[in-house]
Amino acid sequence: MGSVEKGDNLIEMRHKIDNDDERVNEKLLGGEKKITVMGATRTSVGPTEKSKVYTLNEALEYAGDGLFHKYLILVCGLCMMGVITETLVMSYIISSAECDLSLSMTDKGLLTGAAFFGVVISSHFWGILSDAWGRRNVLLVAVCGCFAASLCSCFSPNALMLILTRTFVGLFVAANAAVSYAYLGEFHSDKTRSKAVTMSGVFMAFGMIYLPALAWAIIPLGRTHKFVMPFVGLELASWRIYLILVSLLNGLVLLGLVFLPESPKFLLSKGKSKETIEVLQKVYKWNGKSKDFNITELQLEDEEAVSKTEKLNPFMVVWTQTIALFKREHVVNTFKTCFLMAGIFFASSGLYLWTPDILNNIFQYKNESLTTCDALKIAYESKNNTQPTDCSDQNIDTFPFIATLGMSIVFALCYFLNGLIVNCVGKRNLLMFWTTVCGLSSIVLIWAAEFHTILVFMLILLTSGCCGSLISAIAIDLFPTSIKAMALSLILMCGRLFAGLGSNLIGYLLLINCDSVFWIVGAALLGCTCVGFTIPGP
C-alpha cells in the first residue's frame, strides 16, 4: 500500500507541475523560447521561425537594417547621382565647347535635350525588362552602357557625334533613374523603406553640387593649362577633361553593383523562394547578426502574385506589363503619379535650366526696385544677339557655376530634411507641404521687387525638385512587384518629358510673356497639392 500511495503522490506531483506550478514565460526572440519551470529557466529552439511561414516584409524586418543597407543606399544613391550628372552636364560645357566644335544655336538646343530625349524613348523598355529580367541585371547592363557612351562622348570630334553619343547616354541612364528606386526599396521593410528611398535622393542633390563645383575647378583652367593624354600625345580641352571626370562616376557604380545580390522581392515574385532566402541570409550576415538565420519558408504579401511574364514572348511581355498599369485597379494610381511627377519636373527641372541666365540678368539690376520680369525684359532688350561669338576671348564667366552651386547646397539640405522627417510626417503630407509652399513662392515672384527677396523665393521654388524622391516612394507602395519597375519607368518618363517641354516653353515665354511662366509653374505645383489629397496614406 505504501508503494501505491507513493506512486499516486508522484502522479499527483507531476500533474501539479504540469497544471499548477509550471509557469511558462514564452517570448519569441530569434527563434528561441524561454520557459520558466519551478523557478528554473531553460532555452529551447522550438517550432518558431523554422515552422512559421513568413511574409517577405517580416523576413526583411528580421534581417535588420545595418551595414548592408548603408552600402546599398550608397551604391543606389551614386546611381541616382549619375542620372543627374549625365542629364545636366551639357549645360556646363556648351559655352566652352562652342568654339571647339563650332556649335550653332540649334546644336546647343539639341545637346541640352539629347539625354532627355534618350530617357523618354527608352524608359518604358527598361521598366518592362526590369520586371521580367531582374533589377540588378538591368542596372549592370544600363550602367555599363552609360559609362561607355559617356566616355565616347568625351572624344567627339564634331557636334553631330557629341549629340549622338549623349543621346545614347540618355538611352542607358533611363534605367538607372527608375530601376534603382525599385531595387533599393525592395530590400527594405515597410518601416524603413520610405526613409531609405527619400534619403537616397540626397545623392541627387550631391550630383547638382558636384557638377558646378567641378566645372568651377576644371573648366577655367583651359585659359592657362594644356591637358595632354599620356602615351598618345592627344591634347584635350578643359571641357573634355571635365566630361571624363563626370563619366567616371558610373564606373564607381558599376564596381559597387558587383557585390550586391538580386532584389529579394523580385526573386520571390518569380517563385524563387530558395534564392530569396539565400539573399536574405546574405543581408542578415552583412548586418552583423551572429545567430543562425532560421527562416526557411516565405510567402508573398496578399496583394502580390507570382509573375509569369518570363514564360511569354517579348511582345507579350511588353503588352502584359503595359496594359497592367491601365487596368481598373491601377489606372487611377498610374495617372495620379504621372501627373505628380510631370508637374514637379516641369516646375523644377524646366525652370532650373534657365535659372543661371535669370539670376545673371537680374543681378545687373540688384540695386533697383524691379520685379523679376521687369529686369529680364530690360536685359533681353539690351542684348545684341546678332554679334558672333568671339573665340579669341578665352575668359570664362564663372558666375553661373557659383550661383548653381549655392542653390544645389540648399537642395541637399532639403533632401536630407525630407529623409529625417518623412516617417514622422508621412510621404503624402510632406509632398503636399512642399508643393503648396513652392507653388505660392512662384506666384509671389510675379510681384517681388527686391533682389534678395527674389533670390530667396526663387530658391524655395526650385526646391520643389526634392519632391521627386517622395513621389517615387509613394509609387513603390502603390504598385505590386510584378509591374513596379515599369510603373516607375513610366512615371519618370513623364517627368523627363515635361522637363524638356517645360524648358522649351519657359524659354519661349520668358521673352514674350514672362509673368505667365510663374503663373503656370505655380498652378502646376498647386495642382500637385490637390492630387496629393487623393493619394492614400499619411
Side-chain angles (χ1 to χ4, degrees), residues 37-56:
V37 182
M38 295 291 292
T41 301
R42 72 176 186 269
T43 301
S44 67
V45 181
T48 55
E49 275 93 344
K50 289 187 176 181
S51 62
K52 179 180 176 181
V53 179
Y54 278 75
T55 65
L56 180 61

Side-chain angles (χ1 to χ4, degrees), residues 243-256:
L243 204 53
I244 290 173
L245 294 175
V246 170
S247 66
L248 290 178
L249 182 61
N250 279 303
L252 291 176
V253 176
L254 187 61
L255 181 63

Side-chain angles (χ1 to χ4, degrees), residues 92 95-96 215-216 218-223 238-239 393-401:
Y92 294 93
S95 297
S96 301
W216 189 13
I218 299 297
I219 293 180
L221 294 178
R223 293 176 292 184
S238 59
W239 65 268
D393 184 7
Q394 298 298 315
N395 186 41
I396 298 174
D397 186 9
T398 60
F399 178 79
F401 305 151

